[in-house]
Amino acid sequence: MSDMQQIIAVTTLVCLIAGGAGAMALSGLRGRSTMVLVVVASLVPLVAVSLAVFVNVQRMFISTHDSTVVLVALGLAGLIGVLLSLVLGRQVAAGSTALVDSLRTLGDGGVPGPDASRGASVSSELSDLWRELDTTRTRLAASEQRERALERSRRELVAFMSHDLRTPLAGLRALAEGLEDKVIEPEPALRQMRQTVTRLDGLVGDLFELSRVSSSEARSPNDTALVSLVEVAHDVVGELEQHAQQREVDLRLQTHGDDDRLAVTGNGDELTRLIGNLVGNAVRHTAPGGSVVVRAERSPDGRTQLSVLDECGGIAEPDLHRVFEAGWRADPERSGDDAGAGLGLAIAKGIVESHAGSISVMNVEGGCCFEVALPAAERVS
């Protein structure tokens, strides 16, 4: 066997022995600190190289001067490797510890950035993980805020509906007792009972409709067809015109030229209910002598837009974001037939979203403006 072959064989044997010992050491240290594992993993190749060089230097019978130089250089390189592994191990361990501490505060809105965690400089991977955790924290906070808003809306809705159902039921009971005791006339009592039952049926229908448009199955409307938004708005205005006259409210529809009939693809009944809810709400909250204007037009981005402007006096700025919540009312003290159940705008929002549109509200001079934008379809022939 030549000298070169002997050197290769000895080097391979020493490295295999050192590598096996290192693997056994890492296995025995499983579960220990990251710094310890990094130091051990860094020392194993250094020890392997040092032993291989030392053994080969002894076998090569080089001069004491040359072997001393080699061993000193090897020792210094090993020392540098140990120090660097300690520094790296401390950085990784500090970053990991800070990350664990941040995870503990994730549910409380924590997760500070890496620069704020004990001054530890972390790797780009840990920095990316920190950013992902911060994004997750933001999403959790937003989700929690939405959940609280939904819970608040649910409580208000239950309170309002309980009141709105209890009042007519109490009236029905009083009428029934009066009829039973024969202290009231049957004909007017029956007429009032029929009106009360009609109102109760409307409340239950609103609840059912809200549940339907809010469910995941209702994200796309059924029985879709090309619908002229102008024609639907014209029909709704015609149906509510008498009610508006009774309230001394000027209700009118405005369209711009012969801009086709503003066709959309959707469910005609749902779109009729959408516009009816918006216009009816505007008429109900506009004082006598005021006006409600319904505008149908093409928006600058090519969508079909419907606007309902009223003279209700406006909505308080803190309440603008709550307008479409189920059960919300501008005046919680209002009740009776004229107050509504507080579900109309929530149902309108659900219908718009199921038609891939958007709905918004803003205060204007003297009142507010509801805007609905729906994807335009081909012209209705």
Side-chain angles (χ1 to χ4, degrees), residues 26 48 74 78 86 93 163 167 178 181 212 243 284 304 307 322 344:
L26 289 175
L74 188 62
L86 287 173
H163 177 270
T167 301
D181 297 337
R212 191 189 64 81
H243 176 59
R284 185 165 54 248
T304 299
S307 303
R322 300 194 56 203

Side-chain angles (χ1 to χ4, degrees), residues 228-367:
S228 169
L229 206 64
V230 171
E231 292 183 359
V232 174
H234 185 273
D235 293 341
V236 170
V237 170
E239 292 175 0
L240 294 176
E241 187 172 8
Q242 184 177 0
H243 176 59
Q245 291 176 354
Q246 292 175 349
R247 296 186 58 87
E248 300 180 9
V249 173
D250 179 24
L251 174 61
R252 59 184 183 272
L253 172 64
Q254 293 181 353
T255 58
H256 292 270
D258 56 352
D259 186 18
D260 61 49
R261 292 190 288 176
L262 300 179
V264 297
T265 301
N267 183 286
D269 293 336
E270 292 184 3
L271 292 175
T272 300
R273 178 153 195 166
L274 161 66
I275 300 176
N277 285 359
L278 294 178
V279 177
N281 184 74
V283 171
R284 185 165 54 248
H285 290 91
T286 297
S291 63
V292 173
V293 179
V294 182
R295 294 176 182 170
E297 56 191 343
R298 186 78 65 190
S299 65
D301 59 0
R303 296 196 295 176
T304 299
Q305 182 171 297
L306 181 89
S307 303
V308 179
L309 294 88
D310 59 36
E311 294 183 358
C312 65
I315 301 172
E317 290 294 333
D319 291 334
L320 276 176
H321 71 284
R322 300 194 56 203
V323 167
F324 299 105
E325 293 180 5
W328 180 85
R329 289 173 175 170
D331 184 1
E333 301 299 325
R334 292 185 65 184
S335 185
D337 296 335
D338 191 52
L343 303 180
L345 295 179
I347 293 174
K349 182 175 184 292
I351 294 175
V352 170
E353 291 179 346
S354 71
H355 284 74
S358 61
I359 185 171
S360 60
V361 60
M362 67 186 74
N363 284 323
V364 295
E365 184 178 357

Side-chain angles (χ1 to χ4, degrees), residues 6 32 80 101 210 259 316-317 358 368:
Q6 291 181 13
R32 299 294 295 275
I80 293 174
D101 294 339
L210 178 63
D259 186 18
E317 290 294 333
S358 61
C368 59

